[in-house]
Amino acid sequence: MDIQVGDIVKLKKQHPCGSKEWEVLRIGADFRLKCKGCGHQIMIARRLVEKNVKEIVHEN
């Protein structure tokens, strides 16, 4: 899976705010994602991101 910093990804499950779209802020062993709905930031393991990505909506 070719995900780059700045990409917008759509995950399978939605955030409690109702948004499914996340912006990729950092890539490594962990990903830092920012919710496009409310701006909440999370750190999540690479394997969980790769498992839960439904599609890459926008690539920079």
Side-chain angles (χ1 to χ4, degrees):
M1 189 170 296
D2 187 30
I3 300 174
Q4 302 296 321
V5 173
D7 287 352
I8 306 298
V9 295
K10 186 178 279 189
L11 300 182
K12 291 179 183 175
K13 292 186 177 180
Q14 69 182 13
H15 190 247
C17 74
S19 176
K20 288 187 177 185
E21 294 185 351
W22 296 80
E23 179 181 357
V24 179
L25 300 178
R26 178 183 175 277
I27 295 177
D30 293 326
F31 277 52
R32 178 174 296 278
L33 301 177
K34 179 177 159 185
C35 178
K36 294 300 286 180
C38 65
H40 183 76
Q41 293 185 15
I42 60 168
M43 289 287 286
I44 186 169
R46 174 182 284 274
R47 64 180 180 83
L48 291 175
V49 172
E50 290 177 349
K51 176 182 163 190
N52 291 315
V53 167
K54 192 172 181 179
E55 65 178 305
I56 300 173
V57 178
H58 180 260
E59 296 182 12
N60 286 340

